[in-house]
């Protein structure tokens, strides 16, 4: 009986790690774009303060396992800069294993560049709490806080770690998804780009695959399908793949986010509800 309980816990732990990695993929497969297609000064961003997107989360044969939220808040002051606060949170459960993943990103609206981000993960016995300060004009970053379990630091770095960024408009793990929404996304475009503040995540391969009409709990949407491939040896053997369905309009709202993970299988976030935010004008 004890063996059965231990085996069940072991399987649940692996599944929990898989779900955590899936959630991480949604935010970590965030990477490097140049300023191509960035909004002109005075032009409105396709998202604004008050926007809230809610998702249902399903994982392989396990079905629905949780809910996620992406939101825009602020403005807040970060070292004298007016910043938008981007938030992404997923809470889920597979059997006895609960997963919490929360990422906050403070960005300037023009150019869209990261000033600070924090990441908190909790899953069974695993915990991770990381905070990073990013200094775009100086092209450097510095982390602080408890990065989590022994052996988990890896490329994420340890408390007090730091380095240089490849650009003076760097992005972090969450802000890239929002930056992607500002681009025109022409069909069949392919990019190999470097914009992530951590050099080891550059470059990311991005392809606009086509258009597709899909149905999700929030309704029926015409979408642009974008695939991202990023080097991520912490969560995959070599790279991770993320597929996004973005509304085929100026807002480019992510209505479906899909990735394949070990153990759990294909994990999908689908839009359940949407609340629009106020217009945010670049340069103001």
């Amino acid at each position: 009986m004890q063996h059965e309980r231990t085996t069940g816990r072991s399987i649940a732990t692996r599944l929990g790690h898989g779900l955590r990695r899936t959630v991480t993929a949604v935010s970590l497969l965030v990477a490097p774009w140049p300023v191509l297609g960035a909004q002109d000064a005075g032009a409105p961003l396709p998202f604004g303060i008050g926007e809230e997107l809610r998702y249902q989360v399903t994982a392989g044969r396990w079905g629905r396992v949780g809910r996620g939220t992406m939101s825009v808040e602020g403005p807040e002051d970060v070292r004298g800069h007016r910043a938008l606060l981007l938030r992404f949170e997923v809470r889920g459960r597979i059997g006895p294993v609960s997963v919490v993943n929360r990422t906050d990103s403070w960005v300037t609206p023009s150019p869209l560049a990261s000033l600070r981000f924090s990441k908190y993960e909790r899953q069974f016995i695993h915990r991770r709490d990381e905070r990073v300060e990013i200094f775009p004009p100086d092209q450097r970053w510095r982390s602080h806080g408890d990065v989590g379990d022994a052996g988990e630091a890896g490329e994420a770095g340890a408390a007090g770690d730091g380095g240089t960024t490849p650009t003076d408009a760097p992005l972090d793990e969450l802000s890239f998804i929002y930056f992607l929404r500002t681009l025109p996304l022409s069909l069949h475009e392919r990019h190999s780009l470097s914009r992530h503040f951590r050099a080891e995540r550059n470059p990311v391969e991005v392809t606009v695959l086509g258009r597709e009409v899909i149905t999700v709990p929030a309704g029926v949407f015409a979408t642009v399908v974008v695939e991202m491939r990023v080097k991520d040896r912490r969560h995959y053997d070599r790279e991770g793949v993320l597929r996004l369905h973005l509304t085929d309009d100026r807002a480019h709202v992510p209505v479906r986010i899909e990735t394949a993970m070990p153990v759990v299988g294909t994990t999908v976030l689908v839009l359940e509800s949407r609340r629009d935010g106020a217009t945010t004008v670049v340069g103001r």
Side-chain angles (χ1 to χ4, degrees):
M1 195 69 177
Q2 178 64 36
H3 173 71
E4 290 179 358
R5 285 197 298 267
T6 302
T7 301
R9 174 171 289 190
S10 176
I11 292 172
T13 301
R14 291 199 303 272
L15 290 171
H17 276 295
L19 180 57
R20 176 175 59 82
R21 289 168 180 168
T22 298
V23 173
T24 301
V26 173
S27 57
L28 286 188
L29 289 185
V30 162
W33 282 77
V35 187
L36 297 175
Q39 297 285 307
D40 295 329
L45 290 168
F47 51 84
I49 295 168
E51 181 187 76
E52 183 179 79
L53 309 174
R54 291 186 175 272
Y55 297 90
Q56 294 178 7
V57 183
T58 59
R61 65 186 179 87
W62 303 96
R64 186 169 169 177
V65 296
R67 277 194 162 90
T69 305
M70 293 179 68
S71 61
V72 183
E73 300 178 14
E76 295 194 2
D77 181 88
V78 178
R79 303 189 304 272
H81 298 280
R82 176 181 177 272
L84 301 177
L85 171 54
L86 311 177
R87 285 191 158 160
F88 174 58
E89 182 176 53
V90 167
R91 292 179 178 268
R93 177 178 291 275
I94 298 180
V97 179
S98 62
V99 175
V100 177
N101 184 298
R102 184 173 63 247
T103 301
D104 292 340
S105 173
W106 289 260
V107 299
T108 57
S110 179
L112 203 65
S114 301
L115 299 173
R116 171 185 296 159
F117 92 91
S118 66
K119 186 173 204 50
Y120 173 78
E121 297 175 355
R122 180 173 58 80
Q123 176 283 125
F124 199 42
I125 61 172
H126 168 90
R127 181 182 60 82
R128 181 182 186 84
D129 190 357
E130 182 181 12
R131 296 178 295 279
V132 177
E133 295 290 329
I134 305 170
F135 305 88
D138 301 331
Q139 294 188 223
R140 65 183 179 90
W141 60 272
R142 183 182 72 244
S143 70
H144 56 94
D146 177 10
V147 296
D149 304 331
E152 281 289 321
E155 69 177 23
D161 195 8
T164 60
T165 65
T167 172
D168 61 1
L171 299 174
D172 61 57
E173 299 156 356
L174 175 59
S175 58
F176 176 79
I177 293 178
Y178 285 87
F179 179 76
L180 181 63
R181 294 175 60 183
T182 71
L183 304 179
L185 300 177
S186 300
L187 289 183
H188 311 304
E189 281 186 342
R190 296 177 63 110
H191 302 277
S192 181
L193 306 160
S194 294
R195 182 88 181 265
H196 198 280
F197 76 93
R198 294 188 187 272
E200 64 272 13
R201 291 213 177 272
N202 297 313
V204 144
E205 306 296 329
V206 181
T207 305
V208 182
L209 299 178
R211 289 187 167 93
E212 185 177 345
V213 176
I214 66 170
T215 301
V216 296
V220 180
F221 297 90
T223 66
V224 179
V225 186
V226 179
E227 182 181 83
M228 297 190 291
R229 293 179 176 268
V230 61
K231 292 179 290 185
D232 186 2
R233 290 182 174 85
R234 289 185 65 241
H235 302 98
Y236 305 87
D237 290 336
R238 188 172 65 88
E239 67 176 8
V241 180
L242 186 72
R243 182 168 292 194
L244 296 162
H245 284 71
L246 307 174
T247 55
D248 192 7
D249 55 21
R250 200 188 69 81
H252 284 155
V253 175
V255 297
R256 189 176 191 273
I257 304 170
E258 175 186 332
T259 188
M261 300 299 302
V263 183
V264 173
T266 300
T267 302
V268 178
L269 283 75
V270 292
L271 187 67
E272 187 175 43
S273 66
R274 169 188 175 186
R275 184 181 69 198
D276 291 332
T279 300
T280 300
V281 179
V282 170
R284 294 187 183 177

